[in-house]
Amino acid sequence: AQSVTQLGSHVSVSEGALVLLRCNYSSSVPPYLFWYVQYPNQGLQLLLKYTTGATLVKGINGFEAEFKKSETSFHLTKPSAHMSDAAEYFCAVSAVDSSYKLIFGSGTRLLVRP
Amino acid sequence: DVKVTQSSRYLVKRTGEKVFLECVQDMDHENMFWYRQDPGLGLRLIYFSYDVKMKEKGDIPEGYSVSREKKERFSLILESASTNQTSMYLCASSLSTGNYGYTFGSGTRLTVV
């Protein structure tokens, strides 16, 4: 079955440190890939997406992600964490059987220490 | 700004009540989805709809039904609410092409007592 794996349910970084949230997926066809962010008691907001073209994609709030087909990965990074980045982050991949359906990872909660 | 609007942010209902959660989108999206979100379990798909009056079961449809009479509105119905349906419910919509991803509503936190 198709899957999305986010390594680490919780990641803790210091303010100003590099943020790295990992996402690996399975797909038998070229996927669409997404990262979403969820702040407490809110819905999910699109951070960035990869559909075609350049494999390094930039999103909102200084985040970026790189699609690596050989590694089936789409890791999310930010050079310098800010306190406001504390949230839960979800990786998602388009379903093989219908591209408009997304398969979500289980989420990674990012904690930012002062 | 385009939006997905969920009618209530917080709801408290009694066990056995019939509960309606409403979701409206103004983006002319073909597809609409209902998820529930619980700590440690991520997002779980309840139902989705790819057209008016069309619906398909997701991963956890038991105890739920849906209605889509108009393109912009997708309702989730808890036929007889139970305490194990206490959760955050998220509605989303998308285009049929899929490459834009989902747009989510703000969520409804339902408590069944």
Side-chain angles (χ1 to χ4, degrees):
Chain A
Q2 205 171 355
S3 66
V4 177
T5 302
Q6 292 184 238
L7 190 62
S9 58
H10 292 78
V11 170
S12 181
V13 300
S14 297
E15 191 174 19
L18 171 71
V19 176
L20 171 60
L21 303 183
R22 299 178 186 274
C23 174
N24 288 89
Y25 66 91
S26 66
S27 181
S28 57
V29 299
Y32 299 144
L33 294 160
F34 304 84
W35 275 100
Y36 287 86
V37 61
Q38 185 182 33
Y39 299 102
N41 292 313
Q42 294 188 25
L44 278 67
Q45 177 184 359
L46 182 66
L47 261 183
L48 50 78
K49 64 180 180 180
Y50 168 80
T51 54
T52 59
T55 56
L56 180 64
V57 292
K58 296 184 184 300
I60 61 172
N61 302 336
F63 284 93
E64 61 183 36
E66 186 170 12
F67 169 53
K68 292 187 176 181
K69 183 179 179 181
S70 61
E71 299 177 9
T72 61
S73 69
F74 191 55
H75 301 330
L76 182 70
T77 60
K78 182 174 180 177
S80 176
H82 192 273
M83 297 296 291
S84 61
D85 295 327
E88 190 155 21
Y89 294 80
F90 291 90
C91 180
V93 63
S94 53
V96 169
D97 58 346
S98 53
S99 63
Y100 62 81
K101 288 169 60 179
L102 295 183
I103 311 297
F104 285 89
S106 55
T108 297
R109 185 167 297 280
L110 177 65
L111 308 171
V112 182
R113 304 185 302 271
Chain B
D1 196 13
V2 293
K3 275 188 178 175
V4 175
T5 302
Q6 295 185 231
S7 54
S8 303
R9 291 299 304 275
Y10 299 93
L11 272 181
V12 180
K13 296 293 182 180
R14 295 195 179 278
T15 302
E17 276 193 78
K18 190 169 186 177
V19 180
F20 293 85
L21 303 183
E22 306 288 345
C23 177
V24 177
Q25 51 99 358
D26 64 359
M27 297 166 286
D28 203 34
H29 283 178
E30 293 87 359
N31 309 309
M32 297 188 75
F33 307 83
W34 275 107
Y35 287 85
R36 65 176 284 176
Q37 182 180 21
D38 301 286
L41 298 178
L43 296 166
R44 293 183 290 170
L45 181 63
I46 305 171
Y47 268 96
F48 69 98
S49 168
Y50 52 89
D51 200 352
V52 175
K53 297 190 185 295
M54 306 303 290
K55 62 186 179 185
E56 283 196 24
K57 295 180 180 179
D59 301 318
I60 52 164
E62 296 78 18
Y64 303 94
S65 62
V66 290
S67 172
R68 194 170 181 198
E69 297 295 320
K70 293 184 178 181
K71 190 175 185 180
E72 66 270 20
R73 186 181 296 270
F74 191 36
S75 303
L76 179 69
I77 304 157
L78 286 66
E79 298 291 342
S80 177
S82 64
T83 54
N84 62 12
Q85 293 178 309
T86 292
S87 186
M88 171 71 111
Y89 289 87
L90 293 168
C91 176
S93 69
S94 76
L95 290 168
S96 58
T97 54
N99 54 339
Y100 290 96
Y102 290 3
T103 301
F104 282 87
S106 299
T108 296
R109 187 166 293 281
L110 173 67
T111 302
V112 182
V113 297

